[in-house]
Amino acid sequence: MKTPAAAPFPYAEFDGHPATEDDLRTAVFFNYGHFTAMQVRAGRVRGLGLHLDRLDSANRALFELPLAGERVRELIRHALGSAGSVDASVRVHGFLPPGDSATTVMVTVRGPARMPTDPKSMMSVPYARTLPHLKRPGEFGQTYYAHLASRAGFDDAALTLPDGSVTEGSFTNIGFWDGDSVVWPQAPALRGITMALLEQEFPGAGIRSRHRPVTLDGLGSYRSAFVTNSQGIAPVRRIDEAAFTVDEELMKRLDAAYERAPWDTI
């Protein structure tokens, strides 16, 4: 008897069934919703509770409805099983199409990914996201400025407020090293899961961290910088003309702190 072939990537399920054309129309034409992105290895993910809390909190904020964590876990497990994958990039989206009274959950499965660790260059851009604490699909501004930075020869964009305050990258959090502590910008931004896990693990790794305003004209006070997202951590070599030292020892310490975070079974 032949083993069934794994579903092709990218694979998508809506509420536990393979995506139909009608389902995909929901995602394409009605993208008012929220999501979280995670890297799954051997059926496990770091910070699963943080992902589930993010989804539930965003669902309540947007739709005034809870989103049960156990239901989300079951849907992720089902999608991974259907895709025939235990190592994957997974996204969980919540939608509430017009006329519906329950949240539709879309789970997408792609191949596993990891952020390239080559030092990044970032171009500052004047952009602040609406409700930045919510992770939402279809963020035109972030995508536009990321492409604008790429066309200018940079790897990414650094989002800034009108007063020059740095908030985050186009799809990353930004951290700075002043020689003593990791400094996260004290500004409206999404609190990424990797960032949250680092903050959780820093005390045990002997790393101090704090939040304070970071401005473009004050970048010279920092020795090093780095970015984080669901795919990992990478150093930053410059923002505009402000250059940073690529501190290999610091990056090892950050990686070690992240590796301390436990894996949770989905």
Side-chain angles (χ1 to χ4, degrees):
M1 181 175 177
K2 293 179 65 176
T3 301
F9 280 177
Y11 176 72
E13 288 190 350
F14 280 67
D15 291 334
H17 65 258
T20 65
E21 289 186 10
D22 285 342
D23 290 329
L24 295 175
R25 288 191 188 97
T26 298
V28 172
F29 295 113
F30 190 78
N31 64 355
Y32 177 76
H34 61 92
F35 77 99
T36 194
M38 62 187 75
Q39 290 296 313
V40 177
R41 300 294 184 271
R44 301 176 301 160
V45 63
R46 285 190 173 101
L48 178 61
L50 295 173
H51 285 287
L52 299 179
D53 288 345
R54 167 190 278 176
L55 292 168
D56 181 60
S57 176
N59 211 68
R60 292 172 186 270
L62 294 181
F63 309 134
E64 298 183 320
L65 292 171
L67 186 55
E70 191 50 48
R71 177 190 174 204
V72 172
R73 292 178 71 175
E74 181 181 346
L75 292 173
I76 297 172
R77 288 194 298 265
H78 190 275
L80 287 169
S82 298
S85 179
V86 293
D87 297 337
S89 299
V90 169
R91 288 192 177 197
V92 181
H93 297 249
F95 302 100
L96 187 64
D100 285 5
S101 59
T103 305
T104 293
V105 177
M106 176 178 74
V107 179
T108 65
V109 181
R110 296 175 180 266
R114 183 168 180 81
M115 182 189 294
T117 57
D118 52 306
K120 313 299 181 188
S121 60
M122 304 183 76
M123 182 178 81
S124 66
V125 300
Y127 182 70
R129 295 191 301 114
T130 302
L131 300 176
H133 63 290
L134 299 180
K135 191 174 181 68
R136 304 185 311 277
E139 290 284 4
F140 174 84
Q142 290 169 265
T143 304
Y144 169 77
Y145 281 114
H147 284 300
L148 195 67
S150 179
R151 292 199 296 270
F154 292 82
D155 298 305
D156 197 4
L159 310 186
T160 65
L161 301 179
D163 65 358
S165 294
V166 178
T167 62
E168 55 192 331
S170 57
F171 299 100
T172 58
N173 288 115
I174 307 176
F176 298 87
W177 177 251
D178 63 7
D180 177 70
S181 305
V182 167
V183 176
W184 304 104
Q186 186 177 317
L190 179 72
R191 187 169 186 255
I193 302 300
T194 298
M195 172 185 170
L197 288 173
L198 285 173
E199 287 192 293
Q200 173 184 295
E201 299 300 330
F202 276 168
I207 300 174
R208 286 184 288 219
S209 70
R210 50 189 169 146
H211 293 252
R212 74 181 186 198
V214 176
T215 59
L216 290 173
D217 60 8
L219 292 179
S221 63
Y222 299 100
R223 288 172 38 182
S224 301
F226 60 94
V227 292
T228 70
N229 66 15
S230 64
Q231 296 183 8
I233 311 168
V236 173
R237 61 183 177 87
R238 70 180 175 112
I239 298 177
D240 296 338
E241 299 307 315
F244 301 102
T245 298
V246 178
D247 188 332
E248 297 294 343
E249 183 58 32
L250 171 64
M251 297 310 299
K252 289 179 182 178
R253 294 180 69 191
L254 294 176
D255 287 338
Y258 185 56
E259 291 298 323
R260 290 170 60 96
W263 290 90
D264 304 312
T265 301
I266 296 173

